Amino acid sequence: MTYNLLMPILVALLLIILYAFIKNRKVYAFFSISIFLASCIAAYSFREPAPSPMTEEQKLFIGEQQQIFVPWYERHQQNIDQLDRNWQAYHNILESFKANAISIQTVHLRLTALEQDALAAENSIRDNIPPLALETTNYDLVTDLREKTLQYAHAQYLAILHTKNAADPAQLHTDVQSEQSRMLQEIMIKESPVGLFTASEVDQLRTRLTIPEDESKPTHPAEGET
């Protein structure tokens, strides 16, 4: 709790205590006014100083960091979009089979192709190496962002792979379509990765790579990044 927030609470408690002990209301009023004025002076004295204006050297440095970061982030965003497309395709395949709109053979064929797309997306994320020219903190944030995305992509790939293997007609233990669908749905629920929570890293990078006078933002996080 900050001092400016704590001060009104302490003043209110003190006035309540004084009200109980001071019977003379004129004296109480005098003390109340004195305490109020003292609290105002104290709050003004302890206010947070205004941030120092950014120097031209600092602005130039941030501009250089932006030029290094933005190409990396654009590739990262393309990878995020591909992950979203793959996951949507995965769910569409399972929903189509659940509705008995496609056969188990078609499910297996489509998941086999999707597995290759998921592997390619994971490799693309792995190949998108954080630029070494980034300042240390920026580099660490980008590294964390890439690592979280890579873990998510790998979990997504495994979910698709395991579902594809289970949908192999040669490995199925039942010919009943509803049972096959239930089995695939259970794998999907069990293997689905948790959300990609990278909002903290993206927000920190946005703050660090934005020049105060510049209203434009150097980063544009995807809607799915939370």
Side-chain angles (χ1 to χ4, degrees), residues 22-38:
I22 300 177
K23 303 304 181 182
N24 190 315
R25 294 305 170 226
K26 290 184 179 180
V27 175
Y28 174 75
F30 173 78
F31 273 105
S32 299
I33 294 172
S34 299
I35 292 172
F36 173 76
L37 292 175

Side-chain angles (χ1 to χ4, degrees), residues 110-180:
R110 291 183 181 179
L111 288 176
T112 299
L114 186 59
E115 176 201 351
Q116 297 304 311
D117 292 339
L119 181 60
E122 181 181 346
N123 288 334
S124 181
I125 295 167
R126 183 177 289 106
D127 293 340
N128 193 20
I129 305 298
L132 292 175
L134 285 172
E135 179 270 339
T136 302
T137 302
N138 294 336
Y139 178 85
D140 290 342
L141 288 169
V142 168
T143 299
D144 291 342
L145 180 58
R146 171 180 172 270
E147 182 60 28
K148 285 185 177 182
T149 308
L150 188 57
Q151 292 177 4
Y152 178 87
H154 184 63
Q156 191 179 95
Y157 166 74
L158 290 179
I160 295 171
L161 172 64
H162 294 162
T163 309
K164 180 212 73 172
N165 291 339
D168 186 350
Q171 305 298 324
L172 289 170
H173 300 294
T174 177
D175 294 329
V176 180
Q177 189 273 346
S178 60
E179 288 297 312
Q180 294 173 347

Side-chain angles (χ1 to χ4, degrees), residues 4-178:
N4 288 339
L5 191 60
L6 184 61
M7 175 64 74
I9 298 175
L10 294 176
V11 170
L13 290 174
L14 181 58
L15 291 177
I16 292 173
I17 295 172
L18 288 176
Y19 186 85
F21 284 95
I22 300 177
K23 303 304 181 182
N24 190 315
R25 294 305 170 226
K26 290 184 179 180
V27 175
Y28 174 75
F30 173 78
F31 273 105
S32 299
I33 294 172
S34 299
I35 292 172
F36 173 76
L37 292 175
S39 64
C40 290
I41 295 172
Y44 180 81
S45 300
F46 286 94
R47 73 189 189 282
E48 294 182 2
S52 302
M54 187 172 290
T55 65
E56 290 301 319
E57 290 76 11
Q58 290 173 320
K59 293 179 182 179
L60 179 61
F61 176 76
I62 291 178
E64 292 172 347
Q65 289 287 292
Q66 288 179 359
Q67 294 178 12
I68 297 168
F69 170 77
V70 168
W72 180 91
Y73 189 81
E74 289 176 346
R75 292 190 295 271
H76 170 77
Q77 188 60 60
Q78 292 170 1
N79 290 329
I80 291 292
D81 292 342
Q82 185 61 51
L83 290 177
D84 288 342
R85 286 192 293 269
N86 290 346
W87 203 235
Q88 185 62 51
Y90 173 67
H91 281 275
N92 288 343
I93 293 169
L94 296 188
E95 287 301 316
S96 295
F97 184 59
K98 183 178 180 180
N100 204 16
I102 57 176
S103 66
I104 191 64
Q105 290 81 5
T106 301
V107 170
H108 186 253
L109 287 174
R110 291 183 181 179
L111 288 176
T112 299
L114 186 59
E115 176 201 351
Q116 297 304 311
D117 292 339
L119 181 60
E122 181 181 346
N123 288 334
S124 181
I125 295 167
R126 183 177 289 106
D127 293 340
N128 193 20
I129 305 298
L132 292 175
L134 285 172
E135 179 270 339
T136 302
T137 302
N138 294 336
Y139 178 85
D140 290 342
L141 288 169
V142 168
T143 299
D144 291 342
L145 180 58
R146 171 180 172 270
E147 182 60 28
K148 285 185 177 182
T149 308
L150 188 57
Q151 292 177 4
Y152 178 87
H154 184 63
Q156 191 179 95
Y157 166 74
L158 290 179
I160 295 171
L161 172 64
H162 294 162
T163 309
K164 180 212 73 172
N165 291 339
D168 186 350
Q171 305 298 324
L172 289 170
H173 300 294
T174 177
D175 294 329
V176 180
Q177 189 273 346
S178 60

